[in-house]
């Protein structure tokens, strides 16, 4: 693990900490494949693609608050300069960037560490939390991850460990199950002991990038907010008064300008957010009627007329009751097994569909029409 | 030519496997980038179905219709009542330009009735025709041995001029969507002679023979229907409906006979296994539910009517067909063809 503060010159405590994953959460990269790694290594910061809307989201959130940005990623350490250059290009100060030291793992013959994400990420989160605590900046955190790896599980475990909802003995068992070496378990338990008890994690967002249905995260009992795009994150944060109109409009503008999202696409995201209880009807209506027609979304068809029709239908979207916020410890052992099974099944399905001629066609169905 | 991805609106109350099969097909086609989808129906029920699928709200939207999905599966009467509420909502989306094509598996009579009430007819068009695809014998230069039969609405076609207009609409559809350069058009009648059949067929025969740009190949009898003599076969709505139903029934009967043979004797089963490739091909061609949808021709917006027995692949094919029609600007071509026909009729 390699942990370097890029720049951190805070004098007063920040309002909030934004804790981010990189691969498939902020960046459109695939560090889990050799091809993806090579591409990430050779690509310039200017050419690197971000997940639609995420750049505007982080930038608007960061500029709106006195915030810290902590990035914990499974990307290799040799990408550090590239990643820091990217954040600089995006006008965001990355206060803490933790990357995975694959070289050290190989040198020590710890091959399990290369693939094990839970021990690596949990230790990195705890380290950065200790770093914040040492600076008296141990404020609330909003975490951002994706569905491709075990982000949801790690963030929940991190929250439970900080709040002492998971006993050390159980934590050791979970870490052992997830492939941690004994000394790694010991070092994590040591960090937990150093950390003052608290409940810093306010919200965990999981970006649905890996073709997961939202129901997959039902097992996390409402502690994880599954979102399809940055606009839905902005809407949820705005509902909880953690973001304002500026964040919403900037995200929407990036989606339209840089990713050619249509008026229907924006409307669909807002309607879906309302149905899944991510935002209130008032906020959805405000975004549709007051905000979007005044942005460049107007050029993509988000006219006052269109907005009026969409707003008229918002009442019929039947918002779900927001999930209960009770926080009993989650069944991490079962969740870990389910996450592993999902990852394996997805990999296998993708490999098989790519290798067997005609299978992709078969999965796509027959084309029969006159 | 239009190249933008179309927005397809779906009435989710129609079909024996609704709404699950529709939702699955819609998610798959939206993910494959074939079309953007709008599902009209019971939003709570649809969201339950969607929650377990990897959908994307940017390409798949839900619009509520003030009707709950029938609780009892297979309650077609209740489904039709719900569709009576949902279809006007879907048609309003078409009219307002929020969608390009409507797909429904609700009863065709209901769809026609509501389309007349809620959609505009094509400028110059006097008729509304329901077209259906029927299997034929293989023909040279045709990838798929299929022909377009219209009208199959079940409504009596009153005049010969109506039959002529069906021919114009059908030929344009075949040319635009099936890409047959000059579609062969025939009239279904009792005999092949120009004077055979009822007066409206005789009248239509005379008009079609001299209609500019029309490759009219004369009359065909019912026995010639599947011989592949024509790309477009024009007939009275009631006759077309009967013929179409009969062909569907025959297909079902053949499949049942094969099932019976499979269960009854080991030697028959062995025979069927030897013929399995051929039987499979026959079934592929004759399986009505897999064709996707039959277009309702004559309205200013495109409506595709899918079979009530449609399953997920058929709904997916209907969406592909909708995308194909949109890409080829079918409505624009039909508008032009009808305008030319109306002008030439007036000149006469």
């Amino acid at each position: 693990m390699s942990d370097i503060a890029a720049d951190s010159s805070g004098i007063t405590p920040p309002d909030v900490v934004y804790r981010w994953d990189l691969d498939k959460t902020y960046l459109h990269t695939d560090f889990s494949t050799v091809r993806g790694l090579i591409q990430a290594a050779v690509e310039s910061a200017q050419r690197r693609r971000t997940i639609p809307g995420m750049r505007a989201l982080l930038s608007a959130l960061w500029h709106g608050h006195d915030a810290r940005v902590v990035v914990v990623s499974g990307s290799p350490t040799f990408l550090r300069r590239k990643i820091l250059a990217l954040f600089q290009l995006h006008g965001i100060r990355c206060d803490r960037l933790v990357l995975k030291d694959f070289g050290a793992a190989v040198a020590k013959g710890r091959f399990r560490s290369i693939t094990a994400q839970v021990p690596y990420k949990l230790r990195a989160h705890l380290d950065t939390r200790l770093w914040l605590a040492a600076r008296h900046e141990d404020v609330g955190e909003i975490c951002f991850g994706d569905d491709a790896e075990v982000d949801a599980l790690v963030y929940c475990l991190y929250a439970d460990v900080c709040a002492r909802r998971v006993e050390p003995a159980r934590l050791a068992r979970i870490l052992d199950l997830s492939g941690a070496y004994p000394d790694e378990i010991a070092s994590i338990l040591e960090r937990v002991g150093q950390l003052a008890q608290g409940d810093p994690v306010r919200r965990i967002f999981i970006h649905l990038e890996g073709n997961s249905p939202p129901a997959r995260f039902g097992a996390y009992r409402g502690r994880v907010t599954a979102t399809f795009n940055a606009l839905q994150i902005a809407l949820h944060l705005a509902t909880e008064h953690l973001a304002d109109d500026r964040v919403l409009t900037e995200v929407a503008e990036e989606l339209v300008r840089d990713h050619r999202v249509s008026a229907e696409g924006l409307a669909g995201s807002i309607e879906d957010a309302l149905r899944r209880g991510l935002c209130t009807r008032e906020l959805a209506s405000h975004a549709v009627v007051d905000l979007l027609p005044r942005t460049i979304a107007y050029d993509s068809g988000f006219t006052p007329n269109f907005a009026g029709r969409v707003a008229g239908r918002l009442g019929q979207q039947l918002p779900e009751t927001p999930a209960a916020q009770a926080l009993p410890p989650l069944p991490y052992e079962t969740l870990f097994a389910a996450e592993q099974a999902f990852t394996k099944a997805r990999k296998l399905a993708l490999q098989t569909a790519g290798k067997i001629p005609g299978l992709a066609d078969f999965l796509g169905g027959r084309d029969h029409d006159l | 030519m239009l190249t933008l991805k179309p927005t397809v609106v779906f009435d989710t109350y129609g079909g024996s496997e609704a709404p699950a099969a529709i939702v699955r097909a819609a998610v798959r086609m939206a993910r494959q980038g074939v079309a953007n989808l709008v599902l009209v129906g019971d939003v709570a029920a649809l969201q339950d179905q969607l929650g377990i699928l990897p959908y994307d709200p940017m390409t798949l939207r839900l619009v509520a219709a003030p009707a709950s999905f029938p609780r009892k599966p297979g309650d077609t009467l209740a489904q039709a009542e719900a569709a009576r509420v949902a279809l006007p909502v879907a048609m309003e989306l078409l009219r307002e330009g929020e969608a390009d094509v409507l797909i429904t598996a609700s009863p065709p009579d209901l769809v026609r009735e509501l389309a007349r009430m809620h959609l505009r007819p094509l400028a110059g068009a006097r008729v509304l025709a329901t077209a259906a695809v029927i299997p034929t014998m293989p023909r040279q230069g045709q990838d798929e041995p299929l022909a377009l039969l219209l009208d199959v609405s079940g409504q009596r076609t009153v005049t010969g001029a109506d039959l002529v207009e069906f021919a114009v609409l059908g030929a344009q559809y075949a040319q635009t969507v099936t890409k047959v350069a000059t579609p062969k058009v025939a009239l279904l009648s009792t005999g092949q002679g120009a004077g055979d059949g009822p007066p409206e067929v005789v009248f239509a025969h005379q008009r079609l023979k001299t209609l500019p740009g029309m490759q009219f190949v004369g009359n065909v009898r019912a026995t010639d229907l599947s011989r592949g003599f024509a790309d477009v076969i024009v007939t009275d709505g009631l006759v077309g409906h009967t013929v179409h139903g009969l062909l569907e029934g025959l297909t079902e009967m053949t499949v049942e006979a094969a099932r019976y043979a499979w269960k009854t004797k080991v030697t028959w089963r062995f025979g069927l296994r030897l013929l399995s490739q051929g039987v499979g091909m026959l079934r592929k061609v004759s399986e009505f539910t897999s064709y996707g949808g039959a277009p309702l021709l004559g309205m200013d917006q495109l409506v595709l009517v899918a079979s009530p027995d449609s399953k997920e692949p058929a709904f997916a094919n209907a969406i592909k067909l909708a995308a194909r029609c949109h890409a080829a600007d079918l409505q624009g071509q039909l508008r032009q063809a009808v305008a030319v026909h109306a002008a030439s009729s007036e000149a006469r």
Side-chain angles (χ1 to χ4, degrees):
Chain A
M1 187 162 65
S2 167
D3 178 2
I4 294 174
D7 177 15
S8 50
S9 50
I11 299 164
T12 51
D15 301 334
V16 64
V17 173
Y18 298 121
R19 189 175 284 279
W20 281 75
D21 173 47
L22 271 185
D23 188 21
K24 298 186 185 76
T25 303
Y26 187 74
L27 292 178
H28 228 309
T29 45
D30 188 3
F31 297 140
S32 59
T33 63
V34 177
R35 194 177 166 185
L37 266 178
I38 293 169
Q39 197 178 0
V42 297
E43 217 169 39
S44 67
Q46 284 86 349
R47 292 196 59 182
R48 189 148 300 156
R49 287 189 305 145
T50 50
I51 300 287
M54 293 300 184
R55 175 183 172 170
L57 176 73
L58 180 54
S59 176
L61 285 173
W62 188 72
H63 284 104
H65 288 92
D66 184 8
R68 291 274 169 269
V69 174
V70 170
V71 177
V72 173
S73 167
S75 320
T77 45
F78 67 80
L79 291 175
R80 174 173 303 282
R81 280 178 58 193
K82 295 251 179 195
I83 292 167
L84 289 175
L86 182 88
F87 279 116
Q88 200 171 17
L89 184 75
H90 293 179
I92 298 158
R93 190 190 66 226
C94 176
D95 296 291
R96 208 77 179 154
L97 173 64
V98 186
L99 300 176
K100 203 169 188 178
D101 194 346
F102 287 90
V106 173
K108 288 178 191 167
R110 291 174 162 239
F111 297 105
R112 219 160 60 207
S113 294
I114 294 169
T115 51
Q117 290 292 339
V118 178
Y120 159 70
K121 284 202 167 174
L122 183 61
R123 193 167 72 171
H125 291 323
L126 291 170
D127 274 342
T128 47
R129 188 73 198 166
L130 284 168
W131 176 80
L132 289 163
R135 300 165 58 87
H136 306 290
E137 294 180 351
D138 41 355
V139 292
E141 296 191 6
I142 297 167
C143 304
F144 302 86
D146 61 78
D147 60 340
E149 285 177 351
V150 285
D151 289 351
L153 186 139
V154 173
Y155 280 140
C156 287
L157 187 59
Y158 167 62
D160 280 348
V161 164
C162 288
R164 303 288 192 274
R165 283 188 290 265
V166 173
E167 295 300 316
R170 183 154 177 241
L171 177 59
R173 276 201 311 277
I174 296 165
L175 289 169
D176 182 49
L177 185 77
S178 61
Y181 288 95
D183 61 322
E184 273 181 308
I185 297 173
S187 76
I188 288 170
L189 291 176
E190 190 190 324
R191 282 162 174 82
V192 174
Q194 290 167 3
L195 205 65
Q197 184 175 354
D199 205 353
V201 177
R202 289 196 213 166
R203 184 54 58 197
I204 299 166
F205 288 103
I206 292 298
H207 175 60
L208 298 172
E209 180 69 8
N211 306 335
S212 304
R216 184 186 152 200
F217 294 94
Y220 289 90
R221 300 172 187 170
R223 293 172 59 178
V224 162
T225 306
T227 52
F228 286 100
N229 52 56
L231 185 60
Q232 293 196 332
I233 299 176
L235 282 165
H236 190 63
L237 288 173
T239 299
E240 296 192 341
H241 307 291
L242 295 167
D244 52 20
D245 288 355
R246 193 177 47 84
V247 178
L248 284 169
T249 50
E250 285 184 21
V251 169
E253 291 210 326
E254 190 198 308
L255 289 173
V256 173
R257 187 184 54 238
D258 299 345
H259 305 280
R260 294 181 177 188
V261 171
S262 63
E264 287 81 6
L266 294 176
S269 295
I270 296 170
E271 289 161 354
D272 181 77
L274 179 58
R275 278 197 307 277
R276 296 195 298 118
L278 303 185
C279 70
T280 60
R281 190 183 157 193
E282 289 70 32
L283 180 70
S285 187
H286 171 61
V288 166
V289 177
D290 305 326
L291 298 182
L292 294 178
R294 297 198 178 105
T295 65
I296 56 165
Y298 179 92
D299 300 335
S300 72
F302 219 111
T303 59
N305 187 21
F306 176 78
R309 286 201 303 273
V310 173
R313 291 196 290 259
L314 285 176
Q316 304 161 337
Q317 295 289 338
L318 296 173
E320 287 174 357
T321 317
Q325 294 298 306
L327 295 174
L330 294 168
Y332 287 105
E333 296 84 348
T334 321
L335 285 172
F336 184 70
E339 292 283 1
Q340 275 194 317
F342 184 86
T343 309
K344 271 184 194 165
R346 202 170 124 250
K347 258 187 195 164
L348 190 70
L350 289 172
Q351 281 170 359
T352 313
K355 281 180 184 169
I356 299 177
L359 183 66
D361 289 344
F362 171 75
L363 292 171
R366 280 182 293 163
D367 191 359
H368 242 332
D369 42 31
L370 186 93
Chain B
M1 180 173 286
L2 298 174
T3 51
L4 279 174
K5 196 161 65 167
T7 299
V8 175
V9 57
F10 239 112
D11 146 36
T12 59
Y13 293 102
S16 55
E17 293 196 9
I22 294 172
V23 173
R24 285 198 304 269
V27 168
R28 191 153 61 89
M29 289 299 102
R31 285 178 60 84
Q32 286 181 14
V34 175
N36 291 330
L37 274 299
V38 181
L39 306 182
V40 175
D42 181 341
V43 167
L46 294 173
Q47 184 62 42
D48 281 350
Q49 301 278 340
L50 272 183
I52 53 168
L53 297 168
Y55 69 102
D56 179 356
M58 285 204 178
T59 54
L60 195 153
R61 292 173 65 196
L62 304 185
V63 168
S68 301
F69 199 83
R71 289 190 179 177
K72 207 172 112 193
D75 188 349
T76 49
L77 213 64
Q79 267 181 268
E81 281 309 305
R84 189 173 278 282
V85 178
L87 277 167
V89 176
M91 287 172 182
E92 191 194 330
L93 292 172
L94 269 188
R95 223 179 38 238
E96 294 286 347
E98 277 193 68
D100 303 299
V101 187
L102 164 65
I103 301 176
T104 174
S106 291
D109 288 349
L110 178 67
V111 179
R112 281 173 70 94
E113 179 197 327
L114 293 173
R116 282 190 192 280
M117 284 165 66
H118 297 281
L119 297 176
R120 288 182 295 268
L122 269 178
R126 296 178 310 109
V127 296
L128 181 58
T130 308
V133 174
I134 60 165
T136 66
M137 287 179 192
R139 281 167 283 162
Q140 216 175 7
Q142 277 279 50
D143 293 339
E144 288 188 323
L146 304 167
L148 193 73
L149 177 71
L150 77 171
D151 175 30
V152 296
S153 66
Q155 309 291 315
R156 284 305 311 271
T157 306
V158 183
T159 68
D162 292 349
L163 291 174
V164 175
E165 205 169 301
F166 289 162
V168 171
L169 290 168
Q172 191 58 57
Y173 180 88
Q175 200 172 30
T176 311
V177 181
T178 324
K179 306 290 180 202
V180 182
T182 45
K184 293 176 186 164
V185 179
L187 275 166
L188 181 62
S189 187
T190 50
Q192 288 176 329
D196 292 336
E200 62 269 21
V201 173
V202 175
F203 173 86
H205 187 109
Q206 294 304 325
R207 290 291 300 274
L208 286 171
K209 219 164 53 176
T210 56
L211 201 67
M214 178 73 63
Q215 198 192 358
F216 181 58
V217 293
N219 291 357
V220 290
R221 295 171 305 163
T223 47
D224 301 325
L225 210 56
S226 294
R227 290 198 175 146
F229 291 155
D231 302 298
V232 178
I233 299 158
V234 175
T235 184
D236 166 87
L238 185 59
V239 175
H241 184 77
T242 311
V243 166
H244 189 235
L246 194 67
L247 285 170
E248 272 188 314
L250 274 173
T251 308
E252 273 174 33
M253 202 177 78
T254 312
V255 172
E256 277 309 308
R259 273 201 197 115
Y260 173 77
W262 182 266
K263 284 180 191 164
T264 312
K265 272 191 181 183
V266 177
T267 46
W268 289 358
R269 189 182 297 186
F270 183 66
L272 275 172
R273 206 173 260 293
L274 286 175
L275 289 168
S276 62
Q277 210 180 347
V279 171
M281 277 170 65
L282 185 73
R283 194 168 176 189
K284 189 181 160 190
V285 169
S286 59
E287 208 173 58
F288 282 77
T289 54
S290 68
Y291 290 140
L296 197 60
L297 302 173
M299 303 309 298
D300 204 32
Q301 287 88 9
L302 181 59
V303 178
L304 295 176
V305 185
S307 162
D309 297 326
S310 293
K311 293 180 172 51
E312 187 194 329
F315 284 125
N317 284 333
I319 297 168
K320 287 181 193 167
L321 177 61
R324 207 156 127 186
C325 292
H326 179 76
D329 189 20
L330 173 67
Q331 290 306 109
Q333 300 293 327
L334 286 173
R335 221 169 276 136
Q336 208 176 337
V338 168
V340 170
H341 173 64
S344 78
S345 297
E346 269 179 33
R348 277 167 186 264

